[in-house]
Amino acid sequence: DVKVTQSSRYLVKRTGEKVFLECVQDMDHENMFWYRQDPGLGLRLIYFSYDVKMKEKGDIPEGYSVSREKKERFSLILESASTNQTSMYLCASSAGRRKMRNQPQHFGDGTRLSIL
Amino acid sequence: QQQVKQSPQSLIVQKGGISIINCAYENTAFDYFPWYQQFPGKGPALLIAIRPDVSEKKEGRFTISFNKSAKQFSLHIMDSQPGDSATYFCAASTYGGATNKLIFGTGTLLAVQP
């Protein structure tokens, strides 16, 4: 079974702090994704990566950056946390296009981040 | 044009009844339509998916109906059970560049009453 592990289930930070959210997958997947989930808005894509050191902006990248130094690890960085970034953050991974189109995305259980 | 509109926002169904969740899209380039199921405290998990070359796909009690001309698709849960209580997300995928991206609907909170 694919396992996507997010380092923290709950995190409380202060405005202006630099925040790191970590995600690790154990299935040698090429693709990794970061979403935020808010009530009534569904899941919105922040950034994704299709290879080591490669990244692309999603639909709401402002205020965020990402890092992918190793294939199994994808980090989301809040450069200067603000209260409007309080949310549930979900990481996902999927196999790359070399295997088959439309591989399912496998999600971690999320990090609930509160910015005070 | 990139949106996927999902309804209803919440749904209460009696045990044994049929749950129906609807989604609509505008972008005709979407070519893959998955449904994800999310239990409280867990991440979403793929439930069932369909491509636009078929009008229906069934897996156990779960069926996707797809209407390409109307640009709509729906999830039907037959004989709904309390264990089906969860949040359901429809999604649509575009495939371009390095990988496929999913555009998610806003979610439906389903409660199946015993």
Side-chain angles (χ1 to χ4, degrees):
Chain A
D1 254 6
V2 176
K3 191 161 179 67
V4 178
T5 303
Q6 296 184 230
S7 55
S8 305
R9 291 301 303 271
Y10 301 94
L11 207 53
V12 180
K13 297 290 182 182
R14 298 206 172 273
T15 54
E17 280 193 67
K18 191 169 185 177
V19 181
F20 294 84
L21 302 183
E22 306 289 342
C23 175
V24 177
Q25 51 95 3
D26 66 357
M27 279 299 292
D28 200 35
H29 282 168
E30 287 80 4
N31 303 322
M32 296 189 75
F33 307 83
W34 275 106
Y35 295 88
R36 64 177 283 176
Q37 180 177 5
D38 300 288
L41 296 178
L43 281 72
R44 293 179 293 166
L45 181 64
I46 304 171
Y47 266 97
F48 66 102
S49 168
Y50 54 89
D51 203 348
V52 175
K53 297 192 185 293
M54 305 305 289
K55 60 185 179 184
E56 286 198 24
K57 293 180 180 178
D59 300 316
I60 52 164
E62 296 77 20
Y64 304 94
S65 63
V66 290
S67 173
R68 193 163 180 204
E69 297 295 319
K70 293 185 177 181
K71 190 175 186 180
E72 68 272 17
R73 188 179 296 272
F74 193 35
S75 302
L76 179 69
I77 304 157
L78 285 66
E79 298 290 344
S80 178
S82 64
T83 54
N84 63 11
Q85 292 178 309
T86 291
S87 186
M88 171 69 81
Y89 289 87
L90 290 163
C91 175
S93 73
S94 70
R97 66 188 298 174
R98 285 191 295 274
K99 303 231 170 104
M100 201 165 67
R101 285 177 66 140
N102 295 316
Q103 292 290 319
Q105 291 187 17
H106 301 267
F107 284 83
D109 289 336
T111 295
R112 186 164 293 282
L113 175 64
S114 297
I115 308 294
L116 304 180
Chain B
Q1 229 198 0
Q2 283 291 89
Q3 282 186 323
V4 177
K5 294 182 179 178
Q6 182 172 348
S7 63
Q9 189 172 358
S10 63
L11 183 60
I12 299 174
V13 173
Q14 295 297 315
K15 180 182 174 183
I18 303 173
S19 305
I20 302 174
I21 305 170
N22 300 300
C23 286
Y25 64 97
E26 288 295 324
N27 187 349
T28 55
F30 289 147
D31 64 352
Y32 176 68
F33 301 89
W35 285 87
Y36 280 77
Q37 179 188 54
Q38 184 180 30
F39 293 107
K42 296 292 186 182
L46 179 66
L47 181 64
I48 186 172
I50 196 168
R51 299 184 199 282
D53 52 346
V54 297
S55 60
E56 186 175 282
K57 183 173 182 181
K58 185 175 181 178
E59 289 185 4
R61 296 183 293 107
F62 300 90
T63 300
I64 300 179
S65 298
F66 186 81
N67 186 329
K68 189 173 183 178
S69 60
K71 291 184 282 187
Q72 295 175 348
F73 59 110
S74 59
L75 176 69
H76 295 235
I77 306 174
M78 312 300 288
D79 186 26
S80 298
Q81 298 296 311
D84 297 330
S85 298
T87 300
Y88 292 82
F89 293 96
C90 63
S93 176
T94 59
Y95 200 90
T99 188
N100 59 304
K101 292 172 20 176
L102 289 176
I103 309 297
F104 283 89
T106 51
T108 297
L109 179 60
L110 171 65
V112 180
Q113 293 187 336

